[in-house]
Amino acid sequence: QIWAKARNYTMVQEAEALFTRSAISKYSYSSLPNVTSKDVIRYYESNIVGNPPFPESVKFLIGYFPYLFGTQDGLNLQKLADRYNWPLVWALGVYPTSHHISPAYGANERMLDPTAKASSSLNITISKKMSASFEELWGKA
């Protein structure tokens, strides 16, 4: 209710905005509307009550492309993914780092890391050219 009042939305409008990015959305994943930092700040995730078993409860890792890609920390993230056999994806969207409002961006813009060992076990095809292009991009970052 607090977010509805802050945006001058009805509760129905607020619920519709929240469910736009859910599994019951009328949008496909590739056509999701862009989000702003105001939208992101209102994003809710459930907190886990209990002790999920580690590492099998982790399904994949997300690395923040602008800060980690091509860096030693990014390499450490790749090593961590490989250690536990987790897929690694790189998030391309803008992450607000201050209280200033960032422009709208596509929060569904993620790139699978083809060099992560677990990527080969996914239901996808990774060509040698894709891996080479990824390695080239990594080297230029």
Side-chain angles (χ1 to χ4, degrees):
Q1 189 173 1
I2 190 168
W3 296 118
K5 287 181 181 178
R7 288 179 34 159
N8 202 23
Y9 274 23
T10 67
M11 289 300 290
V12 171
Q13 289 171 312
E14 192 62 29
E16 185 178 71
L18 180 64
F19 287 115
T20 294
R21 307 197 79 74
S22 76
I24 61 172
S25 174
K26 64 182 177 184
Y27 298 101
S28 68
Y29 182 76
S30 61
S31 65
L32 285 172
N34 288 346
V35 294
T36 66
S37 56
K38 281 185 177 181
D39 297 323
V40 171
I41 226 167
R42 293 175 27 258
Y43 177 73
Y44 296 103
E45 267 190 58
S46 61
N47 289 322
I48 298 173
V49 178
N51 295 312
F54 181 83
E56 55 273 3
S57 293
V58 177
K59 301 304 177 197
F60 61 93
L61 297 180
I62 301 174
Y64 184 48
F65 188 92
Y67 292 160
L68 297 174
F69 192 84
T71 68
Q72 183 60 48
D73 285 339
L75 185 60
N76 291 341
L77 187 61
Q78 288 175 320
K79 289 177 182 177
L80 179 65
D82 286 346
R83 178 177 178 192
Y84 291 104
N85 201 33
W86 294 325
L88 173 60
V89 296
W90 294 95
L92 305 177
V94 177
Y95 182 78
T97 56
S98 70
H99 295 290
H100 301 288
I101 304 305
S102 64
Y105 62 92
N108 61 340
E109 297 174 344
R110 293 183 179 165
M111 175 178 62
L112 180 67
D113 188 326
T115 65
K117 290 178 188 175
S119 295
S120 63
S121 65
L122 300 174
N123 187 18
I124 59 168
T125 301
I126 300 174
S127 68
K128 289 183 181 183
K129 184 177 180 181
M130 178 191 287
S131 294
S133 295
F134 184 90
E135 296 281 352
E136 181 182 349
L137 182 62
W138 184 274
K140 290 180 179 180

